[in-house]
């Protein structure tokens, strides 16, 4: 298993990590298989979505924040229950197909770390499933 860290800068944001994942694939010489990426935090998640227009990521943050506001009468004393719920909805992992040493994504897609309780240093674990 490989681990790398990213630093978020806002309480809520989608941070593109596609390039860092491709750099890992390149550095390890992985060619054909699958890369499982996992976020071991209860208030951050991973998703694949449009990366060409940064407004899409901003809209996703806005929409989830409207659906799950920070203050909504939650019982958790740390005051970040909204972040836990957002993480549960988005999910902690993604599986990426790697072919010919390149992560395979749709034309507009990118991989994002979803920060719901930052800014923080976040870890992403990566496990290669290959030949």
């Amino acid at each position: 298993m490989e681990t790398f860290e990213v630093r978020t800068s806002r309480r809520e944001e989608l941070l593109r990590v596609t390039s860092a994942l491709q750099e890992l694939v390149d550095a390890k010489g992985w060619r054909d298989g699958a890369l499982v990426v996992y976020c071991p935090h209860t208030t951050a998640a991973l998703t694949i979505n449009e990366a060409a227009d940064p407004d899409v990521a901003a809209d996703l943050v806005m929409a989830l924040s409207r659906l799950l506001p920070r203050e909504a009468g939650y019982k958790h004393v740390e005051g970040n229950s909204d972040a836990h719920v957002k993480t549960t909805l988005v999910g902690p992992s993604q599986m990426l197909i790697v072919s010919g040493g390149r992560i395979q994504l749709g034309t507009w897609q990118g991989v994002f770390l979803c920060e719901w309780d930052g800014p923080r240093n976040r870890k992403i674990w990566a496990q290669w499933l290959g030949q």
Side-chain angles (χ1 to χ4, degrees), residues 36-102:
V36 177
V37 290
Y38 177 81
C39 181
H41 303 283
T42 60
T43 58
L46 291 166
T47 194
I48 297 171
N49 212 300
E50 182 174 332
D53 180 354
D55 287 340
V56 173
D59 288 346
L60 289 168
V61 170
M62 179 187 66
L64 284 173
S65 294
R66 284 184 180 168
L67 288 171
L68 298 159
R70 188 171 186 178
E71 300 298 328
Y74 304 111
K75 294 181 180 179
H76 182 48
V77 298
E78 289 183 24
N80 63 352
S81 286
D82 65 310
H84 290 285
V85 177
K86 290 169 189 163
T87 296
T88 296
L89 291 176
V90 175
S93 66
Q94 295 292 322
M95 183 179 292
L96 307 170
I97 296 169
V98 176
S99 179
R102 304 299 304 164

Side-chain angles (χ1 to χ4, degrees), residues 27 36 38 51 54 57 69-70 88 91 97 106-107 109 114 122 124-125 129:
V36 177
Y38 177 81
R70 188 171 186 178
T88 296
I97 296 169
T107 302
Q109 291 180 322
C114 304
R122 297 295 192 173
I124 297 175
W125 295 347
L129 307 175

